[in-house]
Amino acid sequence: MANYSTNEFKGGLKVMLDGDPCAIVENEFVKPGKGQAFNRVKLRNLITGRVWERTFKSGESLEGADVVDLEMEYLYTDGDMWHFMKTDDSFEQYAVEKKALGDTAKWLKEQVVYTVTLWNDNAISVTPPNFIELEVVETDPGLKGDTAQGGSKPATLSSGAVVRVPLFINQGEVLKVDTRSGEYVSRA
């Protein structure tokens, strides 16, 4: 795999650090008035999800991580594992553990395409699409006269996620939800 020097560091770059694949979240180049320049880098471990900051002297290099992001369709769960299938013509399937799934579990919907990150042919993380459409399975009934400006109430969606929605939303409606913030966007 390629080596990346500090002058090639940028957000989103995936590198190997302490034997684990990491993604650079933030990179700041610092040139003090006295002394050698350095990079202050914020990294996220792709396996554990831990975020920390580290400094690298100018000219240091890190090995690139051999990770692959693939678009895969969610198929089903058998209780222990969640199964995803490649969307290309190979129809190859991958089983994902609960640990790699993380918070994405509450946004899972069958036949929706997710980004699955593979390292050494094992799934280490699953990223949902930015917006997803899910049905409301439980919420207090809406009352006549409730408006979009009135307030909000909790609603449980078909995936198990709980989202704050306007008072006029009823059970059985399909909503568009932002998976990054967990907020209601609109009716679908």
Side-chain angles (χ1 to χ4, degrees):
M1 205 62 206
N3 279 351
Y4 296 102
S5 179
T6 52
N7 62 345
E8 297 172 294
F9 286 2
K10 63 180 183 276
L13 183 68
K14 293 173 176 69
V15 295
M16 292 296 290
L17 190 64
D18 302 329
D20 282 343
C22 299
I24 293 177
V25 178
E26 219 174 84
N27 175 44
E28 179 186 3
F29 177 73
V30 180
K31 175 76 173 99
K34 188 176 183 181
Q36 186 178 2
F38 62 91
N39 287 53
R40 188 176 296 127
V41 181
K42 191 179 279 188
L43 298 146
R44 181 173 44 84
N45 187 316
L46 292 174
I47 296 173
T48 63
R50 187 179 82 113
V51 177
W52 77 101
E53 214 170 83
R54 190 156 166 187
T55 58
F56 296 94
K57 290 180 189 165
S58 195
E60 279 189 71
S61 64
L62 290 175
E63 181 186 352
D66 190 18
V67 295
V68 181
D69 288 336
L70 295 174
E71 298 293 314
M72 292 193 196
E73 183 180 312
Y74 173 61
L75 298 175
Y76 64 94
T77 180
D78 59 15
D80 319 336
M81 304 290 261
W82 285 258
H83 298 270
F84 290 82
M85 177 182 68
K86 279 187 177 179
T87 54
D88 59 8
D89 293 334
S90 71
F91 303 109
E92 196 176 334
Q93 291 187 21
Y94 286 86
V96 177
E97 296 177 345
K98 175 74 173 156
K99 183 178 75 171
L101 204 57
D103 287 344
T104 304
K106 66 182 179 185
W107 303 118
L108 287 179
K109 182 180 176 186
E110 291 175 0
Q111 298 177 344
V112 171
V113 175
Y114 295 82
T115 303
V116 179
T117 304
L118 300 174
W119 179 55
N120 293 344
D121 229 23
N122 293 320
I124 57 173
S125 72
V126 177
T127 309
N130 291 342
F131 300 99
I132 194 163
E133 294 179 2
L134 295 166
E135 184 182 346
V136 176
V137 292
E138 187 184 325
T139 189
D140 296 332
L143 301 172
K144 188 173 183 178
D146 284 343
T147 64
Q149 307 300 320
S152 64
K153 62 184 179 181
T156 305
L157 305 177
S158 57
S159 64
V162 177
V163 176
R164 302 286 306 169
V165 297
L167 296 170
F168 60 82
I169 298 295
N170 291 312
Q171 197 165 317
E173 290 188 56
V174 178
L175 307 180
K176 185 176 182 180
V177 180
D178 188 334
T179 59
R180 297 164 294 188
S181 62
E183 292 178 0
Y184 160 85
V185 177
S186 66
R187 288 178 172 158

